[in-house]
Every structure is written in structure tokens, then in C-alpha cells.
Amino acid sequence: MLEKCEGIVIRTTDYGETNKITTLFTREWGKVGVMARGAKKTNSRLSAVTQPFTYAYYLVQRSTGLGLMQQGEMITSFRAIKEDIMLTAYASYVAELTDRCTEDKKPNPFHFELLHQTMNYMNEGYDAQILTNIYEMKMLNVLGMYPVLDKCTICGATDGQFSFSIREGGLICHRCLEHDPYHYKISQAAVKLLRVFYYFDLGRLGNISVKEATKEELNTIISAYYDEYSGLYLKSKKFLQSMKSFGSDFMKNSPNINKNKDEG
């Protein structure tokens, strides 16, 4: 029996000469693996709809193991993501994080909507690093990680100057800093954004404008927290970090780029 689902491709694996095993994150069924026979052939009707990050309707013959993809109807290919190597790096990380965070065949339409919104905003040109940080914060509960962000994790105070303690698992106020001499001193703007990213509905996202220094603080805290508690090692994260490092080094070593461009 064929069943229709709405899904986003989060992983593909070549199988044999012409086939692909495609992992879809679907609205109806959660994460499912499906065999797409002949999808590696350029003239296959399944070739386009099995590309990474593709958002489509699929007709699938489901089974207890791998399903069988029979047909796909493209909704969007998220073309802008695929044409920009940095956006591809961010989207790859979000896709791999989704894959590693979720169990097979556990429907979660709220998570599907979050993934779809994140990809859609990236494709529309919103700040990919901030979107990725928001997604990371939303995934913490899925991984069983519950940082304390609404008060001091030591004394419970909701007022004061806050730092972040990886060891204590959340914010600590200025009165409790001695409990963790290795705490991260961060700006109050970063504290506010960590809370916002964790609690707010991505569907209400407006224009994003965050200072580079604050973005660096957020990335440092979130990465350190994941490294300590998630147990995940993601190849896409390492690739993303290397791309960001390359871009930063390139700009530092090319101080006259903008000047020359303006003069031209």
C-alpha cells in the first residue's frame, strides 16, 4: 500500500550502482529510511527529489524496515542553500544534528516544522549562524539536556549579572561565581539571546541583527555545552568550523579587498 508523506531529505547513501538509501524527516512519520531505486541515474524521476535538503511530497511503500520510494513531487529544492558553500555547510550540520538527535519512526510534527522553518529562513538569506544556534538550543531537550537559563543554577536568583557555567549546567549569577572558577564571562546580550533561542517560537522570527562579538560568544557557549554533555561527534560540525576558520583567515589576510572594490 502506497502512503503519502511530506518530508525533507536529511541524509543520502549510495547503494549499489544506481540506488540510494534516502533518510527523510517527515511530518507524518518522523525519521524514515527509504530505498530509491535508480535514483543515481541522471534521467531518473527520483534523482531530483532525493538530493540533500530537498523538500517534497513522497509516495512511499512502507515496511518494518526500509520503505520503498515510488514517487516524489518537489515543493522546493532550497536552491540558494545548495548554491552557497557556507549555507550548505550550515544546512548539512542542521541535517546531521537532526539525524543523530531523533529516533526512527517517532512522529514529531513540531520538530518537522522547526526543521522546515530553519531551512526556509536560511534559503531566504537570514543569518545562517544565528539560525543554527537557535536550532542547536531547540535540540537540547530532544537530547535530554536541560540548561538552566531563567535563573542562577546555584542560588535561584533571577537578578544580577550572569555568566555561564558548563559544569553547573546553566547560568550563574555574580554572587555564585566561586562555585565554578572556569565559568564563561559573557555579555548580558548573549545571556538574553540564549534564553530567547531556547524558549521562543521560530515562526515568530523577525529581522536578525546580532553583533559579531555576541555571535562569537553564543557559538562558544553552545559548542562547549554540546561538547560536554551531548556525546555527539559530527563530521559536518568539523567541516563547518573549518569553513568558518578559512573564511576568517581569508578576510584577515586580504585587508584591501573592500577598499579595492570600492575604488573600482
Side-chain angles (χ1 to χ4, degrees), residues 26-76:
T26 71
R27 186 184 296 276
E28 296 83 357
W29 312 323
K31 184 174 71 176
V32 292
V34 294
M35 176 69 73
R37 290 177 178 161
K40 288 174 65 178
K41 297 179 180 178
T42 54
N43 61 348
S44 168
R45 57 193 172 87
L46 297 180
S47 177
V49 294
T50 54
Q51 296 300 312
F53 323 131
T54 298
Y55 174 38
Y57 292 115
Y58 297 94
L59 277 179
V60 175
Q61 184 177 329
R62 296 179 72 195
S63 69
T64 54
L66 279 177
L68 183 62
M69 184 186 297
Q70 297 285 5
Q71 190 176 326
E73 178 187 346
M74 179 85 71
I75 301 173
T76 179

Side-chain angles (χ1 to χ4, degrees), residues 4-256:
K4 187 176 183 179
C5 70
E6 178 184 352
I8 296 171
V9 177
I10 59 172
R11 179 161 53 96
T12 63
T13 306
D14 291 344
Y15 187 82
E17 291 286 324
T18 60
N19 307 322
K20 284 184 184 178
I21 297 174
T22 304
T23 303
L24 304 174
F25 197 75
T26 71
R27 186 184 296 276
E28 296 83 357
W29 312 323
K31 184 174 71 176
V32 292
V34 294
M35 176 69 73
R37 290 177 178 161
K40 288 174 65 178
K41 297 179 180 178
T42 54
N43 61 348
S44 168
R45 57 193 172 87
L46 297 180
S47 177
V49 294
T50 54
Q51 296 300 312
F53 323 131
T54 298
Y55 174 38
Y57 292 115
Y58 297 94
L59 277 179
V60 175
Q61 184 177 329
R62 296 179 72 195
S63 69
T64 54
L66 279 177
L68 183 62
M69 184 186 297
Q70 297 285 5
Q71 190 176 326
E73 178 187 346
M74 179 85 71
I75 301 173
T76 179
S77 66
F78 293 126
R79 182 176 176 180
I81 291 176
K82 295 175 181 177
E83 292 180 347
D84 185 298
I85 191 168
M86 277 305 302
L87 290 182
T88 297
Y90 278 110
S92 296
Y93 172 56
V94 167
E96 188 179 7
L97 186 58
T98 304
D99 190 20
R100 295 287 296 277
C101 282
T102 55
E103 297 180 43
D104 291 345
K105 302 175 182 177
K106 291 287 184 69
N108 188 333
F110 298 103
H111 190 168
F112 175 83
E113 195 57 38
L114 175 66
L115 176 62
H116 171 243
Q117 288 171 342
T118 301
M119 293 291 188
N120 193 52
Y121 281 134
M122 278 190 190
N123 196 62
E124 290 180 355
Y126 285 72
D127 192 311
Q129 179 173 324
I130 293 298
L131 287 168
T132 301
N133 287 158
I134 293 171
Y135 197 84
E136 288 175 309
M137 292 301 289
K138 297 294 187 189
M139 288 300 97
L140 292 176
N141 291 178
V142 178
L143 288 164
M145 297 153 62
Y146 300 90
V148 177
L149 298 171
D150 59 344
K151 59 186 177 183
C152 175
T153 187
I154 302 294
C155 71
T158 57
D159 65 310
Q161 296 292 310
F162 289 95
S163 296
F164 196 93
S165 169
I166 300 298
R167 188 173 75 184
E168 299 296 336
L171 299 176
I172 54 174
C173 71
H174 63 279
R175 294 171 288 263
C176 298
L177 295 180
E178 71 275 4
H179 288 273
D180 181 8
Y182 303 104
H183 62 270
Y184 286 87
K185 291 187 181 301
I186 56 176
S187 67
Q188 297 314 292
V191 170
K192 181 180 178 181
L193 286 171
L194 284 172
R195 288 172 175 157
V196 169
F197 292 175
Y198 187 66
Y199 291 112
F200 97 126
D201 177 4
L202 186 59
R204 296 166 51 206
L205 184 68
N207 291 327
I208 308 173
S209 181
V210 181
K211 294 178 181 178
E212 286 300 319
T214 307
K215 287 164 67 173
E216 193 60 37
E217 288 181 291
L218 292 168
N219 197 57
T220 297
I221 294 298
I222 295 170
S223 293
Y225 193 77
Y226 263 81
D227 289 345
E228 181 69 22
Y229 294 112
S230 74
L232 296 176
Y233 175 79
L234 306 182
K235 291 181 180 178
S236 57
K237 176 75 169 181
K238 189 173 182 180
F239 175 69
L240 175 58
Q241 290 171 332
S242 67
M243 287 297 299
K244 288 167 67 177
S245 177
F246 173 79
S248 177
D249 290 345
F250 179 79
M251 292 305 296
K252 285 179 181 177
N253 295 323
S254 307
N256 296 320

